Amino acid sequence: MTTVAEFQLSAADLALLPTPDEVAHYRERGWYLSRKLFTDEELAGLQAAADRYYEGRRDRELPVRPARLASWEPAHGPVQRHNDYVHYESDAIGAILRKPLVGAVAALLAGAEEIRIFQSTLIHKPPAPEEPTNRVPWHFDKHYWQTSSSEEMLTAFIPFHDCREENGTITMVDGSHRWRELPSAEDSTRHFADRDNGELDAILEANAAHNGRPVTRIPMLIPRGHVSFHHCRTYHGSGPNLAAHPRRAVSLHLQDGANEYRRHDTPDGEPVVYNHDVLVRRTADGRPDYADPAYCPTLWRGSL
């Protein structure tokens, strides 16, 4: 294995990487459940840093507030909380999320030699089954990343604790990343959080029928410290939290090194704007730079 010095893995780390059979499983089915990538100490640190974040502590704030920013604050009440850019705003959270081992796992799954953070979202699903925001309707992430050129982006879902069906774990639609999609106007201007669940259920069923495939739902049963990865075109969602405690996690969205900005227009010809586009530096030809290390730091670079 050849890597630059800052992305070295220990022998113990190497034993935690997916096997060739597991990589093939991911590419066939669109999801992968890792071995234990985070220690108990790291997760305790992540939870403590998240508590401080919810108390309003920031090491830095975004210089501009993007139009589609997820940014829960106490005034929003006991809904499901989503907060973007936590790896940027909190040094403690960012340091844990930038673990090279996570990037190395993603690199093997995506078939890439470089993995960067694309976005990080801190999530808190309260123990309130009747709360409408606790259900995350069926969607896939690439719909909201239409300005990204890559088709191999992926997400690492990192719970702070054991994650089971009772607390509304993330659930995958098996193999759906391989489906041919019906014509769609989905993009980041029509986010799933603002949509009717029934409409998105119908889109999933229609795409399954178009491909002659069943909708096979696989709940991710994630032991503490393990991580669920899914492909950017894998349909996923989650149900209500029926447990007595909040479901706490980070969704760490990842991009391969080849990803870059590409223009994407809505059906009426208006350019889609992703949150990064008002924050990141510009490339030599004036496009938003999705490799800006301030917002999109590198997790892994090297061969495995």
Side-chain angles (χ1 to χ4, degrees), residues 25-166:
H25 171 285
Y26 167 81
R27 294 179 183 170
E28 177 68 23
R29 304 184 70 179
W31 55 271
Y32 166 70
L33 182 59
S34 80
R35 296 168 179 79
K36 188 171 183 177
L37 304 186
F38 288 96
T39 66
D40 291 342
E41 293 73 20
E42 286 170 330
L43 289 173
L46 190 56
Q47 181 158 322
D51 289 340
R52 294 192 295 272
Y53 185 92
Y54 286 136
E55 291 167 0
R57 303 187 201 178
R58 306 285 189 272
D59 293 297
R60 66 192 55 79
E61 295 189 356
L62 296 176
V64 178
R65 186 182 178 89
R68 302 291 307 177
L69 182 69
S71 183
W72 178 88
E73 54 190 60
H76 296 154
V79 297
Q80 183 171 192
R81 309 175 191 177
H82 286 129
N83 292 84
D84 293 337
Y85 292 100
V86 290
H87 67 287
Y88 174 85
E89 294 188 320
S90 167
D91 287 340
I93 293 175
I96 294 169
L97 295 182
R98 290 193 302 272
K99 188 169 187 173
L101 176 58
V102 175
V105 171
L108 283 171
L109 297 177
E113 292 195 359
E114 179 177 325
I115 294 290
R116 301 188 299 265
I117 289 180
F118 189 67
Q119 181 58 276
S120 63
T121 303
L122 182 64
I123 303 171
H124 180 289
K125 181 181 284 198
E130 72 288 348
E131 169 53 49
T133 61
N134 266 358
R135 182 187 168 194
V136 175
W138 301 111
H139 67 285
F140 64 73
D141 299 328
K142 181 61 178 174
H143 273 156
Y144 309 104
W145 301 338
Q146 299 281 27
T147 57
S148 286
S149 62
S150 173
E151 295 291 331
E152 297 301 331
M153 296 170 72
L154 66 168
T155 293
F157 180 76
I158 306 165
F160 297 1
H161 46 72
D162 290 346
C163 206
R164 298 287 185 266
E165 286 187 81
E166 71 165 359

